[in-house]
Amino acid sequence: MTTLLKPKDLARLHAAAFRESRPWGTEEFEALLASKHCFCVGDSHGFAIGRLIAQESELLTIAVDPVSQGKGHGRLLLQHYHDEAQARGANTLFLEVAKDNTRALNLYKTMSYEVISVRAGYYKRTTGTPVDALIMQLKL
Ligand SMILES: CC(C)(COP(=O)(O)OP(=O)(O)OC[C@H]1O[C@@H](n2cnc3c(N)ncnc32)[C@H](O)[C@@H]1OP(=O)(O)O)[C@@H](O)C(=O)NCCC(=O)NCCS
């Protein structure tokens, strides 16, 4: 499963899913999709973008439309991302997640990712205290 989604569809889904963060614009998605290192999987419910360098793939973002969240789309999407990364030669996957993003964290833990590093106070919030970033790894 790769994607037929256009940069403007990705920007719309991203803005809807990440309501508390700066939305990525259409131009940013155009640039990512044009990169030979990046790949995208997804459908009308959501998408994931990875960047593969050598045998390591980083999950740059994953977003499911809010109306479709909690129905298994994210898990399926992550599995498609794994399959695509592996098909492209990855043997190790990395991602970064805010420590307070319970939904995403639960998804990654149940897909066997492990925390390998913490960036203390990495995410600056407009209100409240900064939140740690967890770096997670999965060996395929
Ligand atoms: C994170 C995200 C991609 C998950 O997609 P989703 O479609 O909502 O997730 P799923 O329905 O496939 O659920 C996958 C797992 O997430 C966890 N989860 C789902 N809903 C949850 C909730 N309300 N609270 C806590 N954990 C939850 C569960 O572990 C679930 O697995 P299970 O139902 O088998 O127990 C999606 O919620 C999203 O786009 N969030 C906003 C953007 C974001 O935070 N992206 C990740 C940045 S690192």
Side-chain angles (χ1 to χ4, degrees):
M1 177 208 206
T2 48
T3 184
L4 295 175
L5 292 170
K6 303 262 185 300
K8 68 173 171 42
D9 302 320
L10 300 175
R12 179 181 47 75
L13 283 167
H14 190 272
F18 288 91
R19 270 170 293 189
E20 289 166 21
S21 316
R22 181 189 71 80
W24 296 6
T26 302
E27 299 77 15
E28 287 170 271
F29 284 108
E30 276 168 359
L32 284 172
L33 295 188
S35 164
K36 65 175 182 178
H37 296 293
C38 293
F39 59 95
C40 182
V41 294
D43 56 24
S44 59
H45 298 293
F47 69 93
I49 296 181
R51 179 166 53 202
L52 181 80
I53 295 180
Q55 292 169 301
E56 297 182 349
S57 182
E58 179 187 6
L59 180 67
L60 296 183
T61 190
I62 180 168
V64 171
D65 193 330
V67 296
S68 302
Q69 287 179 12
K71 298 176 184 169
H73 292 292
R75 184 177 297 281
L76 205 57
L77 206 47
L78 196 60
Q79 187 57 57
H80 288 309
Y81 160 73
H82 290 181
D83 294 345
E84 186 68 22
Q86 193 161 29
R88 289 169 182 256
N91 60 20
T92 311
L93 308 179
F94 294 95
L95 60 81
E96 183 187 283
V97 58
K99 195 177 176 179
D100 63 355
N101 191 344
T102 315
R103 184 174 285 201
L105 203 49
N106 285 346
L107 172 60
Y108 302 144
K109 282 182 179 165
T110 57
M111 294 287 276
S112 303
Y113 281 83
E114 291 179 351
V115 176
I116 55 162
S117 176
V118 178
R119 291 185 181 142
Y122 183 75
Y123 293 105
K124 311 296 177 206
R125 300 288 199 229
T126 45
T127 54
T129 50
V131 176
D132 294 349
L134 307 181
I135 312 299
M136 303 185 84
Q137 181 192 65
L138 175 64
K139 294 265 189 196
L140 293 175

